[in-house]
């Protein structure tokens, strides 16, 4: 996973309002060409007429070797992403510990035989005291993936690390399939009262005069907010807010706010709320991934493998002169559940 089999397992839970029928074949074809990683998700647009679906993979430390082997086969071993994976997999390299995980994201799947380059997001350590080392990693990753970075870009990205307590830079990403695209910097733990001062200190060119009041309904509906910035030779004017909550009731409240603000079509709200759950073999006629069937034979008898589905977050993007947009992020991944085996019933009357 993610392979075509795994996508077959979860696709029936992805409502047609989120992924039109014609997109499903493209999703399956793309999934069959991706690294064998067992967790990922879909990125869906929440406006009524928007149908684009993107695919993500979350690569954790245990996945380093499978990722590297896949990239070496797919790209002859010498792509920038393969070199990044090789350094991350090398215990002697500082990146081995300083990169927590990688996120790979493929834009709208096409019918091309070879998928486009993914966006690459590097997850950095969550402790503020490790942010200095994280900055060194970011400089190296940018230079590796971009083949050199203008000094103005490096300086602007470095300024993003000057966050107020307790905020941190959590992810830095590059859209490799979009030449010239800025660096994406995600900042966690900014608060209502620190967001605007932080943006002003960065030199963010957007209008901050009414920003706090404008964002208050979103902030009140969320349990956690991540601020997303576009960084290049200048600080970009687009501002993204990733909103996450805990529990289905909180999800209903957040999605209600998005519907009220015209950012989410009501049928898509219902489809998002129907996504959480899990699939186990056999699952709605889909064949269970072969590797997981083999692994299940080696696990204890009281463990059951499932593909879990969860809501991750929604993202609201604000840009000058453009109506606000919202996207939903749907997560899925394999996990092992423990259960109590039932004792066989003895002495019962056989069915007639």
């Amino acid at each position: 996973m993610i392979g075509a089999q795994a996508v077959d397992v979860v696709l029936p839970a992805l409502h047609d309002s989120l992924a039109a029928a014609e997109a499903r074949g493209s999703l399956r074809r793309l999934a069959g060409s991706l690294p064998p990683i067992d967790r990922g998700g879909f990125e869906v647009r929440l406006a009524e007429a928007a149908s684009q679906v993107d695919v993500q993979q979350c690569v954790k430390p245990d996945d380093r070797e499978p990722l590297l082997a896949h990239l070496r086969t797919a790209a002859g071993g010498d792509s920038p992403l393969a070199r990044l994976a090789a350094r991350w997999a090398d215990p002697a390299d500082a990146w081995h510990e300083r990169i927590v995980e990688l996120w790979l994201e493929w834009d709208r799947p096409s019918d091309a035989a070879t998928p486009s380059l993914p966006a690459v997001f590097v997850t950095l350590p969550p402790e503020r005291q490790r942010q200095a080392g994280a900055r060194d990693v970011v400089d190296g990753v940018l230079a590796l993936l971009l083949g050199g970075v203008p000094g103005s870009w490096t300086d602007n990205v470095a300024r993003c690390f000057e966050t107020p307590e307790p905020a941190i830079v959590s992810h830095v990403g590059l859209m490799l399939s979009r030449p010239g695209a800025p660096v994406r910097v995600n900042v966690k733990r900014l608060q209502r009262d620190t967001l605007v001062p932080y943006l002003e200190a960065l030199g963010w060119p957007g209008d901050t005069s009414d920003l706090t009041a404008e964002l208050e309904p979103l902030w009140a509906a969320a349990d956690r907010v991540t601020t997303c910035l576009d960084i290049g030779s200048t600080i970009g004017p687009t501002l993204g807010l990733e909103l996450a909550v805990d529990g289905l009731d909180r999800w209903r409240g957040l999605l209600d706010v998005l519907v009220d603000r015209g950012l989410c079509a009501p049928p898509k709200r219902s489809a998002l709320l129907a996504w959480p759950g899990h699939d186990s073999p056999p699952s709605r006629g889909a064949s269970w991934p072969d590797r997981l069937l083999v692994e299940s034979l080696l696990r204890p008898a009281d463990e059951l493998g499932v593909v879990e589905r969860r809501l991750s977050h929604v993202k609201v993007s604000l840009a000058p002169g453009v109506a606000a947009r919202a996207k939903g992020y749907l997560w899925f991944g394999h996990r092992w559940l423990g259960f109590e085996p039932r004792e066989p019933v003895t002495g019962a009357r056989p069915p007639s």
Side-chain angles (χ1 to χ4, degrees):
M1 274 199 327
I2 299 176
Q5 289 178 306
V7 171
D8 281 342
V9 169
V10 298
L11 268 183
L14 190 63
H15 193 270
D16 288 348
S17 65
L18 299 175
E22 58 269 19
R24 295 171 185 265
S26 295
L27 287 172
R28 289 187 177 97
R29 282 188 291 274
L30 173 64
S33 68
L34 298 185
I37 307 302
D38 66 358
R39 67 196 62 80
F42 302 117
E43 179 182 332
V44 298
R45 276 63 179 170
L46 300 185
E48 184 171 8
S51 60
Q52 180 174 338
V53 182
D54 302 334
V55 178
Q56 297 180 326
Q57 284 189 296
C58 176
V59 188
K60 291 186 174 294
D62 287 348
D63 304 315
R64 284 182 280 212
E65 292 297 338
L67 173 66
L68 181 57
H70 175 87
L71 293 173
R72 282 177 169 167
T73 299
D78 196 34
S79 70
L81 183 53
R83 292 196 292 272
L84 167 59
R87 290 195 58 177
W88 188 33
D90 182 357
D93 195 299
W95 291 9
H96 189 78
E97 297 296 332
R98 290 180 178 176
I99 295 177
V100 176
E101 61 190 19
L102 293 179
W103 282 88
L104 307 178
E105 177 185 310
W106 282 264
D107 287 343
R108 179 203 314 262
S110 69
D111 292 330
T114 302
S116 61
L117 291 172
V120 180
F121 283 79
V122 176
T123 305
L124 302 174
E127 302 86 8
R128 281 184 62 89
Q129 63 268 28
R130 299 178 67 185
Q131 289 284 287
R135 285 176 56 178
D136 293 339
V137 170
V138 169
D139 288 346
V141 168
L142 294 181
L144 175 61
L145 296 182
L146 293 178
V149 187
S152 58
W153 287 43
T154 302
D155 292 343
N156 285 331
V157 170
R159 289 167 57 202
C160 294
F161 283 82
E162 298 170 7
T163 58
E165 292 276 3
I168 60 164
V169 173
S170 61
H171 299 79
V172 174
L174 285 168
M175 314 299 179
L176 297 181
S177 63
R178 310 176 196 172
V183 177
R184 179 69 48 79
V185 176
N186 291 357
V187 183
K188 288 187 180 294
R189 305 176 195 162
L190 285 171
Q191 307 299 318
R192 287 175 170 89
D193 59 342
T194 58
L195 173 63
V196 168
Y198 176 72
L199 293 175
E200 291 176 341
L202 275 182
W204 183 67
D207 183 5
T208 60
S209 58
D210 297 319
L211 189 61
T212 300
E214 180 183 359
L215 298 180
E216 178 58 30
L218 298 175
W219 215 287
D223 295 324
R224 295 173 299 283
V225 179
T226 298
T227 302
C228 308
L229 300 162
D230 288 340
I231 309 297
S233 57
T234 60
I235 309 295
T238 299
L239 180 68
L241 293 177
E242 293 182 352
L243 312 170
V245 294
D246 298 315
L248 202 55
D249 286 341
R250 290 287 286 163
W251 269 110
R252 289 191 182 96
L254 173 58
L255 294 175
D256 283 346
V257 171
L258 296 182
V259 170
D260 291 343
R261 292 171 68 94
L263 295 173
C264 178
K268 295 193 174 188
R269 169 186 55 189
S270 300
L272 289 174
L273 292 173
W275 172 256
H278 68 265
D279 297 292
S280 58
S283 182
R284 289 176 285 199
S287 61
W288 200 248
D290 297 335
R291 181 173 62 82
L292 298 182
L293 286 173
V294 173
E295 286 185 12
S296 68
L297 299 176
L298 305 176
R299 307 288 294 197
D302 60 351
E303 290 187 356
L304 173 68
V306 302
V307 175
E308 185 180 26
R309 294 177 269 106
R310 295 203 308 254
L311 294 172
S312 175
H313 61 279
V314 295
K315 181 179 179 181
V316 175
S317 296
L318 308 172
V322 179
R325 306 179 306 278
K327 296 188 289 188
Y329 291 76
L330 312 180
W331 183 91
F332 64 90
H334 181 264
R335 63 176 297 195
W336 296 100
L337 297 180
F339 66 97
E340 282 289 332
R342 286 190 286 185
E343 293 293 331
V345 177
T346 59
R349 178 183 176 182
S352 58

